[in-house]
Each structure stands twice: as structure tokens, then as C-alpha cells.
């Protein structure tokens, strides 16, 4: 679709994603990045606020699926424990995992959104797949690489500031 590093929507955290607003926009499938979007890289235990939001999401009319680049079993274990579908080895920013998810749920790109914390993987992958991209702030930039990556994303975040209409 389109190569763009600008997210369609920016929200402070995944728990700020308004499921009703997405539903009104025709979104039927919400794909979620895992690391630093749902939980930090260093754990697989969500906060109480995140647990409540995930429960709301599962109870909503919008289907949810974790789409992660991770190859670690902790993603699958988490998703199984939370009763959430997941796709690992997604290889974002390529559209492979995103397209696989859409095919699995039988949903077209215009009825999908992807929420994640990285512009160069999540936002770019979503935009290239024709899916609504939602940028959330990283939960915890715990190492130098993550901090540097965030600095490199600042110009794109600045250009897309004010995009809060979900």
C-alpha cells in the first residue's frame, strides 16, 4: 500500500486505545504488538490496568490478535494464558505476519488496525499493509538501543502529533 513512517493515530498507551471509537470507524480486528506495547521486554506479567483493558478488548465486538516479531515462547505462553490469538515471527515491517493475521480472521485491511510502540516496525508494517496504524508510547526503554531508536523516531512523532482520532 503506502510506505509511510507517520502513524495514523498516536495515544499515550495501549490502554488509551478507544475500542468504541475504532468500532465506529469500522475496525473489526485490532492487532497488537507484544513487547513494550502490552508488557515490557523484561516480563510477561501485565499491569492491572493492562489486564482490565485486555479483558474489555476481548469482550468487545473487535477481535484482537497479538502480532509479534518475537520468536520467544513467552509470547505464545502469555497469549494462551490470556486466551488471545497470536502470530509470532511476524517479520514486521514486512506485511507477512499482518497479512497472515488478516487471512486468519477473514478481515480486509480497511477493517483492521495495528497498535505498537515502534515506528520502524509496527507503524511502517501497518501502513504498508493498508491497516490503520496506532502508535503507543513504549512501556520501558530499558537499554541503549531502545533509547536510541526512540530518539530516531522523534521527528516522525513530531510530524504526526495531534493525530488522536481513533
Amino acid at each position: 500500500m503506502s510506505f509511510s513512517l507517520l502513524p495514523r493515530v498516536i495515544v499515550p498507551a495501549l490502554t488509551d486505545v478507544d475500542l468504541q471509537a475504532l468500532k465506529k470507524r469500522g475496525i473489526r480486528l485490532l492487532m497488537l504488538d507484544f513487547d513494550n506495547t502490552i508488557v515490557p521486554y523484561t516480563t510477561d506479567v501485565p499491569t492491572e490496568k493492562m489486564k482490565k483493558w485486555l479483558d474489555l478488548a476481548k469482550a468487545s465486538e473487535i477481535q484482537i490478535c497479538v502480532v509479534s516479531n518475537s520468536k520467544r515462547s513467552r509470547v505464545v505462553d502469555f497469549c494462551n494464558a490470556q486466551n488471545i490469538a497470536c502470530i509470532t515471527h511476524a517479520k514486521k515491517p514486512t506485511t507477512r505476519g499482518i497479512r497472515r493475521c488478516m487471512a486468519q480472521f477473514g478481515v480486509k485491511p480497511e477493517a483492521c488496525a495495528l497498535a505498537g510502540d515502534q515506528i520502524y516496525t509496527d507503524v511502517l508494517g501497518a501502513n504498508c499493509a493498508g491497516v490503520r496504524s496506532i502508535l503507543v508510547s513504549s512501556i520501558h526503554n530499558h537499554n541503549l538501543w531502545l533509547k536510541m531508536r526512540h530518539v530516531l523516531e522523534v521527528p516522525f512523532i513530531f510530524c504526526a502529533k495531534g493525530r488522536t482520532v481513533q
Side-chain angles (χ1 to χ4, degrees), residues 57-75:
K58 290 186 289 188
S60 76
E61 295 176 37
I62 297 175
Q63 300 175 89
I64 61 169
C65 180
V66 169
V67 178
S68 174
N69 285 351
S70 181
K71 298 172 185 172
R72 297 181 181 162
S73 63
R74 72 188 195 89
V75 178

Side-chain angles (χ1 to χ4, degrees), residues 55-156:
D55 288 341
L56 278 173
K58 290 186 289 188
S60 76
E61 295 176 37
I62 297 175
Q63 300 175 89
I64 61 169
C65 180
V66 169
V67 178
S68 174
N69 285 351
S70 181
K71 298 172 185 172
R72 297 181 181 162
S73 63
R74 72 188 195 89
V75 178
V76 175
D77 294 343
F78 175 90
C79 290
N80 287 339
Q82 295 292 323
N83 197 27
I84 299 172
C86 81
I87 292 176
T88 57
H89 306 81
K91 298 191 177 189
K92 297 174 288 182
T94 72
T95 60
R96 181 182 146 221
I98 296 167
R99 285 185 286 115
R100 195 166 123 217
C101 184
M102 289 188 291
Q104 180 177 317
F105 284 88
V107 180
K108 295 185 186 234
E110 56 272 11
C112 299
L114 187 149
D117 69 302
Q118 293 188 48
I119 286 180
Y120 300 112
T121 56
D122 304 313
V123 170
L124 181 57
N127 290 343
C128 287
V131 168
R132 178 178 286 274
S133 56
I134 302 171
L135 180 67
V136 302
S137 296
S138 294
I139 293 172
H140 181 57
N141 288 328
H142 69 281
N143 65 33
L144 183 60
W145 163 245
L146 293 174
K147 289 174 184 170
M148 286 182 359
R149 187 208 75 219
H150 178 71
V151 169
L152 295 173
E153 291 177 341
V154 168
F156 301 105

Side-chain angles (χ1 to χ4, degrees), residues 5-6 26 31-33 35 69 78 113 117 128 131 162:
L5 294 168
L6 298 179
M31 294 174 259
L32 307 172
D33 179 49
D35 287 314
N69 285 351
F78 175 90
D117 69 302
C128 287
V131 168

Side-chain angles (χ1 to χ4, degrees), residues 7-47:
R8 295 271 309 270
V9 177
I10 299 175
V11 293
L14 181 59
T15 54
D16 294 312
V17 171
D18 185 339
L19 298 165
Q20 290 304 315
L22 291 178
K23 183 181 170 224
K24 286 179 185 173
R25 293 205 173 273
I27 300 300
R28 296 187 352 215
L29 172 62
L30 176 59
M31 294 174 259
L32 307 172
D33 179 49
F34 185 70
D35 287 314
N36 254 355
T37 299
I38 297 175
V39 295
Y41 283 99
T42 54
T43 184
D44 61 355
V45 179
T47 63

